[in-house]
Amino acid sequence: MKKIIQFVVLFCVCLGNAWAQDAFVVRNIQIEGLERTSQAAVESYLPIHRGQTMTPEKSGAILRSLYKTGFFEHISLSNSGNTLIIHVVERPTIGQLKVTGNNIIPTDKLTQVMKSMDVAEGRVYNKQALDKITQGLLNQYYMMSRYNARVDTSVTSMSRNRVSIKITISEGVSAKIRRISIIGNHAFSESTLLKQIEITKSGLFTFITQSDRYSDEKMEQSVEKLRNYYLDHGYLRVNIKSSQAQITPDRKAVYVTIVVDEGEPYTVSGYDVTGKLIVPRSRYNDIITIKPGDTFSRQKIIDTEKAISKLLGEQAYMFATVSVKPEVNDSAHTVHIVFEVKPGKRTYVRHVTFSDNTRTNDVVLRREVEQMEAAPSSTSKLDESKHRLSLLPFIKDTEMSVKPVPGKDDQVDVNYKVKEDNSAQATFKVGYAQLYGIILGAGLNQKNFLGTGNTLGINVQRSKYEQIFTIDFTDPYYTLDGISRTYTLSVQRVNPKGVANLDNSYTSNEFDAGVIYGIPVGQQQGVYSKIIAGAIYQDTLVSLVPGNVSNQVNTFVTRNGRHFQEADLRVGLSRDSRDKAIFPTSGSIQTLFGDAFLPVTRNSVSFYTVFYHGKWYFPLNDQFIFTSRLNMGYGNGFHGLDTYPFFRNFFAGGFESVHGYQGYTLGPRDSRGFAYGGNMLVDGSLGFIFPNYLSDSLRTSAFFDIGNVYLSDNNRNYGCTSKTGKTGITTTTCSKNSGPLRTSVGVEADWMTPMGPLALSLAKPINIRPGDLQESFQFSLGANF
């Protein structure tokens, strides 16, 4: 109706201004009332030119053409002899445009949108465009649940036919869902159904999740999830009759009502697979989990459809189609499901390419790809290749695309788009850990040296506990079969005196040089196993601190000397099934190492160590992950514990051990009451990773830790504590064991910062024993976690 009225008004205006006189030949055109627009510009829009005859019919065309430009508010026609006179009143221009009150929508983005609609300073004022912007802004705020937002516009006149436009915005507050009611449900409780949908009523954590902010999009998603939940539980004829949102008069709260017609539950009477099967029918029966008598489930049908497509994809039928045709018996409430298979043509891979790898050579990526060119395509090999690329330490993410070759119906091209991680050329670290104090480090670290995929590390690190210089070079493909080789060289000085509560009666200087090989074995899809084998020469010199030597250190040095030269023969096994190396969400990583230290000189000692580390990730859904960790270590001398070096002891407490206790302070103590460590270690953790909604570079978790270290010789005195009496005499009491396993609970945040990983934890020790040193808040910057 509004458009009809506008048309009638325009028609009347045109009729009133139309030519009502006799026709004449136009010899000249005169335009009156122009201020900004040139006469030549106006004439370019005219449907009549000099020398043409002016008729009543052309007058309407002139008016329509000029009004269409949007330059003029009023137009009329007249003549003086053979001169056509056009009288115009120009629309004002925008001399000033001001927007106030907006915080959520940035001014620069708002200005850009208005400019695209010709609402900007210097442009011709158009009320319709301004009204569209006003309504668009309100719609935008409504989408953000701000239903009490207001947008007011004021237009005032200025000199020289200009106007000033002021847009005043009141963004209001987000309307929160106060109540959600589901009507018509009988099979499931309202609380069960509310857990399935996107929206929730306001609660303790909704200020973070913002799930209590209503929007039409969220409502549609919630209705769809509710429908799918019923379909997955047998209710084939479920009908969501209505979903309504009622806004309170103050427009600050929303009441949601969803009406459901559940219908009756359906069961599966059977299934059949038809079409060109390609593989034996028994293969289909093996992957189809739907059985007669099962409750109908939409999700199971989708999973079966995907499984059949994957089965055919393994046979190179990448474009096979699987159609599901349910045969519904409404009287018996049963469904017979027919899977119709159309395999299409067998496909071959023409090219495998890579994109966005600006620093990594193609050959480095290609050696991780199991799908060969010119070979039949395999969905499992393509997916496995993507997984292998994602596990590279210099690749953050990988996307795979498969496209048919133009003009070929049996060939495809595969592209892997990689997102490379920063591989620093040179680093300088300033970190801090409560255990080591200030940590200074510098070096050259390249996880992708010159784009070859090799790893080169030259590092110097200094703290009050240790000074270390290392050079490592790893070639992950020393052989074409994937055997890796690592050269390592390090010089280290350890001074336990720099750490409070550790045995500080000695210092040690150590030189290491060796080579280690990694041999892949037993590779399965998504699981990478490797045997580690190598030899490392170690030269260690222990220096005692005069007048400060504990009985344990003094006894060992007296029996075995201070200078030790051994060959560390190392063998181990690693297994990695994580989905990615940085912040994994599923899978596990496990390592088991055995080291035999054999004397190179007569005065050296011989001993061995065994160490196991495992960490598992179990995704509960797309946001929550359950984790667990286990560390176990054991060491001993080949001739008894007397030949096992004290400086090879295991320690417990602190990060990656038992939070809430000072680092390295659990377990046995020496004769002076300082932490001495032990030759047996066990510690573990159960964790729960939960979303933080702040950054993808931040991971938050809650944990329960348990662990301790022990000495296997129960005849030794350890676990000593010192006490000074009123007389000033200090007495030392030593126990026969380390006591029970210590436990703690707490929360941790791990953040990948530009300066390196930052770990923060807040923990509460549970079973504290006399002499235990607590440290509830712990953090580390620039150190591994």
Side-chain angles (χ1 to χ4, degrees):
M1 180 61 68
K2 184 178 179 181
K3 291 183 177 179
I4 294 175
I5 294 174
Q6 290 176 342
F7 174 77
V8 171
V9 171
L10 179 61
F11 177 78
C12 293
V13 170
C14 292
L15 186 62
N17 295 325
W19 191 257
Q21 301 181 21
D22 295 334
F24 68 96
V25 177
V26 176
R27 301 300 181 187
N28 190 25
I29 298 176
Q30 181 178 336
I31 304 174
E32 297 180 352
L34 293 178
E35 294 183 10
R36 298 180 310 274
T37 310
S38 66
Q39 177 157 328
V42 176
E43 288 186 9
S44 66
Y45 293 105
L46 294 177
I48 191 170
H49 302 287
R50 292 173 178 83
Q52 294 180 342
T53 302
M54 179 66 182
T55 64
E57 292 78 12
K58 287 191 176 180
S59 65
I62 294 173
L63 293 175
R64 286 193 297 271
S65 298
L66 294 182
Y67 274 120
K68 190 176 180 179
T69 63
F71 297 157
F72 310 109
E73 278 191 273
H74 181 73
I75 306 169
S76 63
L77 306 177
S78 64
N79 77 302
S80 177
N82 290 89
T83 299
L84 173 62
I85 303 174
I86 304 175
H87 307 272
V88 298
V89 177
E90 289 184 321
R91 283 184 175 178
T93 57
I94 302 174
Q96 187 180 49
L97 178 62
K98 188 176 182 181
V99 182
T100 60
N102 59 306
N103 292 314
I104 298 177
I105 302 178
T107 301
D108 55 344
K109 290 187 177 180
L110 181 56
T111 303
Q112 186 178 358
V113 172
M114 290 192 297
K115 190 174 183 179
S116 67
M117 298 180 66
D118 273 342
V119 178
E121 293 183 0
R123 303 286 179 89
V124 175
Y125 168 63
N126 188 324
K127 186 178 184 303
Q128 288 75 22
L130 186 60
D131 291 341
K132 285 183 179 179
I133 290 174
T134 301
Q135 189 58 47
L137 276 172
L138 287 174
N139 292 338
Q140 189 68 32
Y141 282 114
Y142 293 164
M143 290 177 63
M144 294 186 287
S145 305
R146 294 177 177 266
Y147 296 103
N148 59 342
R150 293 199 327 271
V151 179
D152 298 321
T153 59
S154 62
V155 181
T156 57
S157 299
M158 299 176 64
S159 60
R160 301 196 305 275
N161 197 24
R162 295 178 302 155
V163 294
S164 173
I165 299 176
K166 184 177 181 181
I167 302 176
T168 304
I169 299 173
S170 175
E171 296 181 323
V173 295
S174 296
K176 298 180 180 179
I177 299 174
R178 189 168 294 173
R179 187 179 66 202
I180 304 175
S181 301
I182 299 179
I183 301 174
N185 57 304
H186 303 289
F188 307 102
S189 65
E190 186 176 75
S191 60
T192 299
L193 297 178
L194 290 177
K195 293 177 182 178
Q196 314 307 320
I197 62 179
E198 292 285 330
I199 55 177
T200 65
K201 65 180 183 179
S202 297
L204 183 60
F205 296 104
T206 51
F207 77 98
I208 297 177
T209 63
Q210 296 191 350
S211 58
D212 62 342
R213 308 298 197 262
Y214 176 85
S215 69
D216 291 339
E217 183 181 359
K218 284 185 179 180
M219 175 65 91
E220 291 175 4
Q221 293 174 354
S222 296
V223 168
E224 188 62 26
K225 284 196 171 186
L226 194 62
R227 181 183 292 108
N228 291 340
Y229 183 77
Y230 271 101
L231 290 173
D232 291 340
H233 290 79
Y235 291 85
L236 183 62
R237 300 301 190 189
V238 64
N239 178 29
I240 309 297
K241 298 178 70 174
S242 66
S243 56
Q244 297 178 345
Q246 184 178 3
I247 304 174
T248 57
D250 61 1
R251 307 181 74 85
K252 294 182 180 180
V254 179
Y255 289 85
V256 175
T257 303
I258 302 174
V259 181
V260 179
D261 181 7
E262 293 179 330
E264 297 294 331
Y266 284 68
T267 57
V268 177
S269 60
Y271 72 85
D272 193 15
V273 182
T274 62
K276 190 175 181 181
L277 302 188
I278 300 298
V279 298
R281 187 176 294 274
S282 59
R283 295 282 300 277
Y284 291 94
N285 294 333
D286 291 339
I287 64 174
I288 296 177
T289 59
I290 301 172
K291 306 298 180 185
D294 287 354
T295 300
F296 173 82
S297 172
R298 167 186 168 275
Q299 188 59 50
K300 280 189 177 181
I301 294 176
I302 293 175
D303 293 341
T304 302
E305 185 180 355
K306 290 180 180 178
I308 295 175
S309 297
K310 184 177 180 181
L311 175 64
L312 296 173
E314 290 301 303
Q315 309 301 318
Y317 294 92
M318 291 195 66
F319 301 112
T321 59
V322 181
S323 302
V324 180
K325 298 181 178 179
E327 298 175 354
V328 182
N329 186 333
D330 287 318
S331 59
H333 299 124
T334 59
V335 183
H336 184 82
I337 304 169
V338 178
F339 297 97
E340 184 179 4
V341 177
K342 296 179 181 179
K345 282 193 175 183
R346 202 161 188 244
T347 55
Y348 296 82
V349 175
R350 185 182 69 165
H351 296 311
V352 176
T353 58
F354 307 93
S355 58
D356 288 6
N357 52 315
T358 58
R359 294 187 293 269
T360 307
N361 297 333
D362 273 13
V363 66
V364 176
L365 303 177
R366 192 171 296 277
R367 65 193 183 191
E368 303 294 336
V369 176
E370 296 193 344
Q371 173 68 62
M372 297 293 103
E373 295 181 337
S377 60
S378 168
T379 53
S380 63
K381 288 182 178 180
L382 291 172
D383 292 338
E384 180 64 14
S385 301
K386 176 185 175 182
H387 186 211
R388 289 173 63 92
L389 289 170
S390 298
L391 285 177
L392 292 174
F394 44 86
I395 299 298
K396 294 181 69 175
D397 193 21
T398 306
E399 296 179 5
M400 179 182 68
S401 61
V402 180
K403 296 182 179 180
V405 176
K408 303 286 185 180
D409 57 0
D410 61 347
Q411 293 184 24
V412 295
D413 287 334
V414 180
N415 177 262
Y416 291 98
K417 182 180 178 181
V418 298
K419 184 177 181 181
E420 295 176 307
D421 193 11
N422 293 328
S423 54
Q425 297 289 334
T427 61
F428 176 75
K429 286 186 178 181
V430 179
Y432 184 86
Q434 285 165 305
L435 181 62
Y436 302 120
I438 296 176
I439 302 172
L440 300 176
L444 171 68
N445 290 276
Q446 263 287 9
K447 295 175 289 185
N448 187 17
F449 184 60
L450 299 179
T452 62
N454 298 334
T455 300
L456 172 66
I458 304 175
N459 291 278
V460 178
Q461 184 168 295
R462 179 186 179 90
S463 69
K464 62 183 181 181
Y465 175 73
E466 66 180 352
Q467 302 158 41
I468 183 170
F469 171 78
T470 61
I471 300 177
D472 297 293
F473 181 80
T474 300
D475 183 355
Y477 278 84
Y478 169 63
T479 68
L480 295 177
D481 296 330
I483 296 177
S484 64
R485 180 176 65 183
T486 300
Y487 291 111
T488 178
L489 177 71
S490 67
V491 179
Q492 182 179 14
R493 174 180 173 82
V494 175
N495 182 13
K497 184 179 180 181
V499 179
N501 304 303
L502 285 186
D503 187 341
N504 55 16
S505 59
Y506 72 96
T507 60
S508 67
N509 294 276
E510 182 177 317
F511 170 78
D512 297 345
V515 58
I516 299 174
Y517 293 90
I519 306 168
V521 293
Q523 181 174 329
Q524 303 173 4
Q525 184 174 357
V527 180
Y528 304 95
S529 300
K530 183 178 291 188
I531 293 176
I532 310 296
I536 303 173
Y537 169 75
Q538 295 186 349
D539 189 328
T540 307
L541 177 63
V542 176
S543 301
L544 303 182
V545 179
N548 209 27
V549 181
S550 66
N551 294 340
Q552 289 83 351
V553 173
N554 186 62
T555 300
F556 181 86
V557 170
T558 301
R559 290 176 178 175
N560 303 293
R562 297 186 300 108
H563 191 194
F564 310 97
Q565 294 174 284
E566 298 98 12
D568 175 9
L569 304 182
R570 175 174 297 177
V571 62
L573 177 66
S574 69
R575 183 181 185 275
D576 191 350
S577 62
R578 297 172 299 170
D579 58 338
K580 52 186 176 181
I582 301 174
F583 286 163
T585 60
S586 64
S588 65
I589 180 169
Q590 302 177 72
T591 57
L592 175 64
F593 283 101
D595 292 79
F597 296 82
L598 303 181
V600 175
T601 61
R602 181 181 302 177
N603 295 329
S604 296
V605 294
S606 58
F607 59 97
Y608 63 90
T609 61
V610 180
F611 184 78
Y612 170 82
H613 168 76
K615 196 160 188 177
W616 296 264
Y617 300 86
F618 304 95
L620 303 178
N621 52 37
D622 57 350
Q623 291 185 317
F624 297 94
I625 305 169
F626 177 78
T627 66
S628 60
R629 170 181 55 82
L630 177 63
N631 293 322
M632 294 189 297
Y634 179 79
N636 209 336
F638 284 110
H639 304 290
L641 193 59
D642 289 338
T643 59
Y644 181 73
F646 59 89
F647 49 84
R648 300 294 181 188
N649 278 345
F650 298 103
F651 290 87
F655 276 116
E656 282 299 316
S657 183
V658 186
H659 293 76
Y661 297 89
Q662 281 192 16
Y664 292 179
T665 60
L666 292 180
R669 297 182 179 274
D670 63 13
S671 60
R672 302 173 59 248
F674 291 102
Y676 183 69
N679 69 313
M680 296 189 301
L681 162 72
V682 58
D683 70 51
S685 179
L686 298 177
F688 183 69
I689 298 173
F690 53 89
N692 57 75
Y693 304 104
L694 298 177
S695 170
D696 292 337
S697 299
L698 176 67
R699 169 165 281 187
T700 49
S701 61
F703 58 80
F704 168 79
D705 290 343
I706 183 170
N708 209 338
V709 290
Y710 299 88
L711 283 171
S712 58
D713 188 350
N714 287 326
N715 293 322
R716 295 172 180 262
N717 285 331
Y718 54 91
C720 303
T721 58
S722 299
K723 183 178 181 181
T724 302
K726 295 181 179 179
T727 60
I729 299 176
T730 301
T731 57
T732 301
T733 304
C734 299
S735 62
K736 289 292 183 181
N737 57 59
S738 300
L741 294 169
R742 303 300 197 270
T743 56
S744 67
V745 294
V747 292
E748 180 174 342
D750 299 323
W751 184 22
M752 300 299 295
T753 72
M755 294 182 62
L758 170 65
L760 304 167
S761 74
L762 184 64
K764 172 68 175 177
I766 297 177
N767 57 338
I768 303 172
R769 293 294 184 270
D772 288 348
L773 301 175
Q774 302 180 54
E775 197 170 65
S776 298
F777 177 72
Q778 296 173 321
F779 70 95
S780 177
L781 174 62
N784 291 327
F785 55 78

